[in-house]
Amino acid sequence: MTGIRLAAPRPGWSVDADVVVIGSGVAGLTVALRSAAAGARVVIVTKARLDAGSTRWAQGGIAAALDEGDTPAQHLDDTLVAGVGLCDEEAVRTLVTEGPDAVRRLMATGARFDADPATGEVQLTREGGHHRRRIVHAGGDATGAEVSRALVAAVRTADIRIIEHALVLDLLKDAAGRAAGVSLHVMGEGRHDGVGAVRARAVVLATGGMGQVFAATTNPAVSTGDGVALALRAGAEVSDLEFVQFHPTVLWLGPDAEGQLPLVSEAVRGEGAHLVDADGVRFMLGQHELAELAPRDIVAKGIMRRMRETGADHMFLDGRHFGAAMWAERFPTILAACRSHGIDPVTEPIPIAPAAHYASGGVRTDAHGRTTVPGLYACGEVACTGVHGANRLASNSLLEGLVFAERIAAAVAADETVPGEPVPADGPGEPLVAPEDRHTIQRIMTRGAGVLRSAAGLAEAADRLDAVRRAVHTDGKSAEPGTEAWEATNLLLVARVLVAAALRREETRGSHWREDRPDRDDDRWRRHLLVTLRPDRTLAVSTTETAAFPPVSPASPSSPHPAPRSTA
């Protein structure tokens, strides 16, 4: 145990459950539905409304070998290539083998995907890194919204308790160190208000990503890394946080644009749009056999290189040859977003540039979502299952949420361990970062730990983040407890871990691009970085001996792997 928790009032109310799920995206809602179906008392805690999880923003689809000419083995191969040697092959095999049936169960839950009007068969499209058409979509480019709609509707008719507008604070543990629930703060008036607790024998983190650690991102404002920060304070291990995927094609709205920016889906390139510079040159030709459909890290690097070569601050995505009808039918969401900013993709190329999009790393789990803290599970973007390696393959994220959520529900149902009483927290709690420091942290990260990284830039970022931390811990400038201060404090912790890992990994691999270490180094770095938070709030960084993860705990049913090697 670290003994570290956020400064907050003591809980003034409590709710009892068997399972508490934190988050309302595809992963959290699927865990909740499957657990409730197994007879568990389930509580969902979500930071905004139930239907406002990160899933609803997903324009891309769900990848699965549903076509007769496709196989899980081919899907596995494409995933391993995208992961650049760091995927856990067994985790990927689980994903691609169980994926097709998981998608069919989602359809049975009520999700409606685009189908051929003549045959009624689900239409399959192609995206970057895939050698076959295996992506299902809904509403052209509104897959996430449809998945969210179907799952939310199912949850609302199930016997599941929902606590909305609630920020999870910290994990509650019993005397043996087992998860026993969470503390949380409900924003605004309602049945519950202020700080309270949900006591449960299983806690499932499904809090989504941490894109708000950067100034420009595709992630919504709520994606502040709360689940990763909670897990670290609870003593859990996180892994691969240096592998942040920067989506290659995010709508460029000017050099000073910050916050959540509109995404231009991979599927646009999948349907034949071209990446071009200001002179109309297709610069991805010759850089990869798949050109614009290469894995995302390669495309993002290609865009950045061309920007440096030409002195430009953005490139273009040209889909004018689609015609008005195709834009309106296949990509209505993107068309509307572009036009709302004065850009018409039907008649002009779309200005684009990479922006922070997806965290391939997170809280380390085994194949059943178990973390290194007993009773604490994680799935979806907050988790690191080993599926994505150094770079997520397009449209594998929603699939991962489905597959591993079902596995967590099964594991929780099979584990009848009941935790003891939560141990009361001692002391005043972790000093809080001021809300205005959120922007400082974001700019530090964008400058020093963005698409292009170097030892000098990362070291400067680490020093500047430490200065923010010292101002709170040494100078006693703790902010008043509140949602914005808790979020900023979580962002600072996640940023520190990301920078420490990026500084330690002295190579270029996948979505981690070191200018000063441009080559991939399998001999030294085909392995994972594991990070924990020590009781004195310093970071302990170690590596695995191979690309395989060690078991999450001595009780894990996973096959044994080499123990981690400390490099702290």
Side-chain angles (χ1 to χ4, degrees):
M1 296 188 194
T2 67
I4 302 171
R5 62 178 180 85
L6 292 172
R10 292 189 178 278
W13 53 270
S14 66
V15 171
D16 291 330
D18 295 314
V19 183
V20 57
V21 178
I22 316 300
S24 60
V26 61
L29 296 179
T30 301
V31 171
L33 284 169
R34 299 292 180 265
S35 295
R41 296 173 301 159
V42 179
V43 171
I44 295 175
V45 176
T46 186
K47 200 171 179 180
R49 303 184 315 276
L50 187 66
D51 61 356
S54 294
T55 292
R56 66 189 284 261
W57 298 99
Q59 293 176 350
I62 305 177
L66 296 168
D67 185 72
E68 289 184 3
D70 196 7
T71 65
Q74 294 177 70
H75 190 182
L76 181 142
D77 288 343
D78 285 344
T79 301
L80 295 181
V81 169
V84 201
L86 277 188
C87 295
D88 183 304
E89 188 166 337
E90 285 307 307
V92 177
R93 184 168 286 107
T94 295
L95 178 81
V96 300
T97 303
E98 298 182 10
D101 283 343
V103 172
R104 293 183 184 103
R105 283 189 287 273
L106 177 62
M107 293 167 68
T109 303
R112 298 186 292 267
F113 295 112
D114 295 344
D116 187 311
T119 66
E121 294 292 321
V122 173
Q123 291 179 325
L124 299 175
T125 63
R126 186 179 168 201
E127 295 180 3
H130 293 272
H131 282 79
R132 298 192 66 90
R133 287 183 170 263
R134 64 167 67 98
I135 319 296
V136 296
H137 285 270
D141 57 1
T143 308
E146 172 58 17
V147 170
S148 179
R149 181 207 63 78
L151 292 174
V152 165
V155 164
R156 291 201 184 281
T157 60
D159 186 17
I160 295 173
R161 190 167 186 170
I162 302 162
I163 302 177
E164 297 179 305
H165 303 289
L167 171 64
V168 66
L169 300 177
D170 283 302
L171 188 70
L172 304 178
K173 290 184 177 182
D174 66 11
R178 184 179 179 87
V182 292
S183 59
L184 65 157
H185 174 75
V186 178
M187 299 166 269
E189 296 181 3
R191 183 172 179 180
H192 298 297
D193 192 15
V195 175
V198 178
R199 296 172 50 166
R201 63 181 179 85
V203 176
V204 182
L205 297 178
T207 51
M210 55 184 191
Q212 287 290 325
V213 78
F214 294 95
T217 178
T218 63
N219 288 192
V222 295
S223 297
T224 50
D226 305 321
V228 171
L230 175 149
L232 283 162
R233 288 192 297 271
E237 198 168 72
V238 304
S239 183
D240 298 354
L241 239 60
E242 68 271 32
F243 296 117
V244 176
Q245 188 176 79
F246 289 80
H247 199 287
T249 53
V250 175
L251 189 62
W252 188 81
L253 298 177
D256 299 321
E258 294 184 341
Q260 185 182 9
L261 302 178
L263 176 68
V264 182
S265 171
E266 190 111 13
V268 178
R269 281 175 282 137
E271 294 297 335
H274 303 142
L275 284 166
V276 298
D277 62 18
D279 295 324
V281 176
R282 286 184 64 189
F283 55 86
M284 283 305 296
L285 292 176
Q287 293 200 37
H288 189 277
E289 62 168 337
L290 296 177
E292 285 94 350
L293 285 176
R296 287 178 178 174
D297 64 310
I298 294 171
V299 178
K301 290 169 187 173
I303 292 171
M304 294 299 293
R305 286 194 187 101
R306 194 63 169 179
M307 286 165 56
R308 288 198 296 183
E309 290 169 1
T310 61
D313 48 17
H314 65 283
M315 290 284 112
F316 296 91
L317 186 64
D318 192 351
R320 289 176 291 178
H321 53 286
F322 288 175
M326 180 174 172
W327 271 109
E329 180 180 343
R330 180 70 179 83
F331 302 112
T333 307
I334 297 169
L335 180 63
C338 288
R339 285 178 170 170
S340 72
H341 292 284
I343 301 156
D344 189 352
V346 177
T347 60
E348 61 186 315
I350 304 169
I352 55 90
H357 180 58
Y358 189 88
S360 293
V363 185
R364 190 170 73 81
T365 75
D366 67 6
H368 298 277
R370 302 181 184 94
T371 74
T372 52
V373 173
L376 177 65
Y377 300 77
C379 65
E381 191 173 353
V382 71
C384 182
T385 61
V387 159
H388 304 307
N391 186 49
R392 174 177 67 90
L393 181 65
S395 289
N396 268 357
S397 54
L398 293 178
L399 187 71
E400 182 194 29
L402 284 173
V403 169
F404 287 90
E406 292 185 342
R407 291 185 139 244
I408 286 176
V412 169
D415 184 0
E416 298 180 354
T417 306
V418 178
E421 289 293 311
V423 176
D426 296 324
E430 180 78 354
L432 302 177
V433 175
E436 55 266 27
D437 284 332
R438 174 172 178 152
H439 299 293
T440 301
I441 294 164
Q442 290 170 331
R443 293 185 179 117
I444 290 170
M445 293 299 289
T446 295
R447 176 184 172 89
V451 180
L452 290 172
R453 299 170 177 172
S454 67
L458 289 165
E460 179 184 355
D463 288 343
R464 294 183 65 193
L465 291 172
D466 194 49
V468 175
R469 180 171 170 268
R470 284 198 310 273
V472 176
H473 285 263
T474 305
D475 300 340
K477 297 180 180 178
S478 178
E480 288 296 314
T483 300
E484 293 181 344
W486 287 319
E487 286 185 331
T489 303
N490 286 339
L491 280 175
L492 178 59
L493 177 54
V494 170
R496 288 175 57 213
V497 175
L498 194 161
V499 168
L503 194 55
R504 181 63 59 85
R505 184 172 289 279
E506 297 178 336
E507 66 160 354
T508 289
R509 182 186 297 271
S511 52
H512 173 64
W513 187 6
R514 285 280 296 263
E515 290 181 279
D516 55 333
R517 303 281 183 174
D519 299 321
R520 172 176 159 182
D521 184 352
D522 280 352
D523 288 343
R524 293 184 59 216
W525 291 110
R526 189 165 178 249
R527 57 197 67 196
H528 302 275
L529 287 170
L530 311 175
V531 184
T532 55
L533 185 65
R534 297 187 180 104
D536 66 358
R537 298 171 176 80
T538 58
L539 302 176
V541 185
S542 61
T543 68
T544 57
E545 288 287 355
T546 70
F549 279 124
V552 296
S553 69
S556 169
S558 304
S559 57
H561 295 307
R565 180 185 67 190
S566 176
T567 59

